[in-house]
Each structure stands twice: as structure tokens, then as C-alpha cells.
Amino acid sequence: MDKRVMVFAPAPLLTVTIEQQADAVELHLHPGGQGVWQTRMITCLGVPVTLCVSLGGEVGDTLGRLLDEEDVTLRVVRRGASTGWYVHDRRDGSRAEIAEDPGAPMVRHDIDDLYTVTLTEGLRAPVSVLSGPASPDVVDPDIYRRLAADLSANGGIVVADLSGDYLRAVLDSGVAVLKVSHEELIDDGYADDDSVGTLLAAGRALQRKGATSVLISRAGEPALALLDDGPARLVHAPPLELADHHGAGDSMTAGVAAVLARGGDMEEAVRTGAAAGALNVTRHGLGTGRAEAVRELVDRVRIVPLDESEGHGAENDGAEGDDGDR
């Protein structure tokens, strides 16, 4: 196996964005969706990616041509139903949704073909990333369960960035790293609120259900890391001016996967993920950045052990004058 990452993105999106540049209005077409954004950051970090997708209809044809221009190995399964898309207006500096369509649900024949292609490529890669669709109606969660179980059973490292039924589907299937946001934990009923103690308890529950390590992103707050059976840790990303918070969590997942594919350990992976996520919020492009910038930020990430018995008060431990366990 070479040092590459397989990214499973069953339902990518064609993204159409309207922007204002001086006196001109510009229209931008790009490949999008969680798996595509993760792929973009992984390749920025110098790790090759095989991207497994399903495309259909006129939108799928356009998206396929755009994906061909990305620096990835692309494996496409054609399907009859159309691929999803969205149109956003960013002329005033914020994102305003004009229209969207997540795409039609995949039928069993499409899923079988995509499973076979994805399993093949996942067996060739040391690390596989399972990314979720934009809508829970597009892809049956069982394909995630099967992929996580089969890739893990054959020695692969599975990194899952999922929520809802997709998260539940992979929990007992051998997931090495589960990345989830605090909002998703609350929405899915694993946490009642966003306090540190409550989120840590939710993360530990997910570990007991089968995830080896759990990373919990918290928007602008430090992330929480539960690595194997070690102590909980607070991950302080470098402070940077926010341009667009979208995509930070996907970049974190990408950084983790890139390091693991190169044979790095989990602490290095978490540092790189935090650095990649921090860099992404300084840019308007999702999943974008430069490897040299991420490398400079990695050493500025602080990882601070948490006393889980302290719960709510633990977040401030080591926040002043302490470099943690760098």
C-alpha cells in the first residue's frame, strides 16, 4: 500500500457561487461537498488521494469535468439520477442560499457498484475517510457500516466524519477516528448541552460504542480530543482572524487523515488537523490552504490535558502561560 488516502464521497455537489469583485459580478463553479473539501486539503498537505464518487445527469457531467481538473485519482460510478447542487450569493461578504438540490436517492444497483469500487480503493490505501452526504435521504447508511467493518477487518485505518444515522451505522464497525462537531452531538441526542463536561461524557460514550479515538470540534472554541484510552485533552488552535468558518471541521479531518497515511501518530495528527482547520478559516475557499502555512501553525497548537472529574471548570486549565504537552 502506498501513502495515500481513499476518500468516500458518494454524493458530491456542484457548487455555484456569485461573488462581487470591485465593479464586476463573478460566477464560480466548483466541486463541493464534505468529501471534496477534505480531499482538497489532504492533497494540499502533500498526500495523494483516491476519491470515490457517484455522478449522474447533466449536473454530474459538469461536476465530473471539474473533478478531473483536481489533483486526485478519481473513481466514478455513473448513476441514472441527477447529482446534487447549490447556488450561493456571497456578494455582500456572507453566504446567502438561493437554491439547492441534494440529489436523488441512490438505488441499490448504484450502491452495490459504488461499494465495490470504494472497497477496492480502500484496500489499496492505509487510510480511508468516510464523509457524509449533504442530505440524509441520498445514501443508505448501511454502505457506511459495511465499508467501515470490511476496511477495518482488513487492516485499514478508518476515519469517519459523520453524524446522525451515518455515525450510528459505523460505531461498532472498527472506526479508528471519529470526528464530530458539538452541534452534531447535541442534534443527535448524545449531549444535552455544549458544556465541556457534557461533551466529554458524550465522547466517552462514543468510544464505548466502538470509536477508538474521538475528536469534537467546537466552532471557535478549542476542540476536545479523546485519544485511545488516554486522558481527555483540550486542543487550542492558533488564534487567527476569521474570514469564513465554513470547512474548518473538514480541514481538521483532512489533516488527521494525511498524517496517519504518512505513518504519524495521533498527537501529530491532531496537531496537524487543528492547524489545517485554523488556516481554513482565514480563507474563503473551503478545504484550501498551503502546506507550508500548516507546518508553521502546527507548532503553535497547544494540547492541554483535562481533568474530566472537574467537568465544566476544566476548560481553563493550562490556558495561561502553559504550553501543555508539546
Side-chain angles (χ1 to χ4, degrees), residues 151-168:
L151 291 173
S152 297
N154 285 278
I157 298 172
V158 175
V159 178
D161 191 341
L162 301 169
S163 62
D165 290 339
Y166 299 101
L167 185 157
R168 285 185 281 273

Side-chain angles (χ1 to χ4, degrees), residues 267 271 298-303 322-326:
E267 181 166 324
R271 289 187 184 280
V298 164
D299 288 338
R300 291 170 170 80
V301 175
R302 293 190 302 110
I303 299 180
D322 183 0
D323 287 335
D325 58 356
R326 289 172 64 175

Side-chain angles (χ1 to χ4, degrees), residues 222-294:
L224 301 174
L226 301 172
L227 308 183
D228 298 317
D229 56 357
R233 303 178 183 189
L234 198 64
V235 184
H236 292 267
L240 297 172
E241 189 72 22
L242 175 68
D244 187 345
H245 72 277
H246 292 88
D250 295 331
S251 292
M252 172 180 278
T253 301
V256 169
V259 170
L260 295 179
R262 293 197 300 259
D265 60 27
M266 272 302 299
E267 181 166 324
E268 180 190 358
V270 170
R271 289 187 184 280
T272 303
L279 178 63
N280 190 86
V281 303
T282 70
R283 303 168 61 90
H284 291 290
L286 301 182
T288 62
R290 291 183 178 272
E292 60 181 353
V294 174

Side-chain angles (χ1 to χ4, degrees), residues 11-16 59 63 82-88 98-103 134:
L13 301 170
L14 176 64
T15 71
V16 182
V59 172
L63 184 53
S82 181
T83 295
W85 52 268
Y86 69 65
V87 180
H88 285 179
I98 296 177
E100 67 172 348
D101 180 359

Side-chain angles (χ1 to χ4, degrees), residues 52 92 98 120 123 126-128 133-134 159 168 190 193-195 197 222 224 238 255 266 279 282 289 293 298 304 324:
C52 298
D92 65 356
I98 296 177
T120 301
L123 293 172
V127 174
S128 295
V159 178
R168 285 185 281 273
Y190 292 107
D193 56 59
D194 62 359
S195 66
L224 301 174
M266 272 302 299
L279 178 63
T282 70
V298 164
V304 181

